[in-house]
Amino acid sequence: MNRSTAAVANAFFLFVGVAGLIIQIVSGVPGFPDIPPGPFILGITGILVLTLAARFRPILFLGIVAPAFILVGALLEGSFWGRLADVGDFGPFTGTVLLIGGLIGAIACGGVAVSRAYRRTTVG
């Protein structure tokens, strides 16, 4: 089986989210733990989607659950709104835009990937 375009896009957006988190960490955004779990959660999920989803369809659900988990955490924590409002603070702003955009893109593409993987085909 081949990987679907939606699954590849899902993994891409997961990696965009990882890049956003790394940019935030490197630029000194306060509040990150010494070893933040977000990059590992999103990165490993992206790798699993790319490598296993073609053979094991349930992996595609991880491509929705993992970014949704991180997004809910970000919404509950709430400090990303301030980083989005401060365009002049380039690192935190850019990292936050990449993170939130990556999470939303991953959830959307993950939904499409799951929908296509489980679609029933009708015979004419």
Side-chain angles (χ1 to χ4, degrees), residues 19-36 74 77-86 88-100:
L21 281 169
I22 290 171
I23 290 170
Q24 289 182 65
I25 293 164
V26 170
S27 64
V29 171
F32 281 96
D34 291 337
I35 301 174
E77 193 271 335
S79 68
F80 78 94
W81 293 110
R83 290 190 296 279
L84 286 176
D86 189 4
D89 200 2
F90 185 75
F93 172 79
T94 303
T96 303
V97 167
L98 288 174
L99 171 63
I100 301 301

Side-chain angles (χ1 to χ4, degrees), residues 4-57:
S4 72
T5 304
V8 172
N10 176 250
F12 169 79
F13 282 112
L14 288 166
F15 296 137
V16 168
V18 171
L21 281 169
I22 290 171
I23 290 170
Q24 289 182 65
I25 293 164
V26 170
S27 64
V29 171
F32 281 96
D34 291 337
I35 301 174
F40 295 103
I41 293 169
L42 297 177
I44 291 169
T45 301
I47 291 168
L48 289 173
V49 167
L50 282 178
T51 58
L52 298 178
R55 291 192 182 108
F56 189 63
R57 291 184 300 179

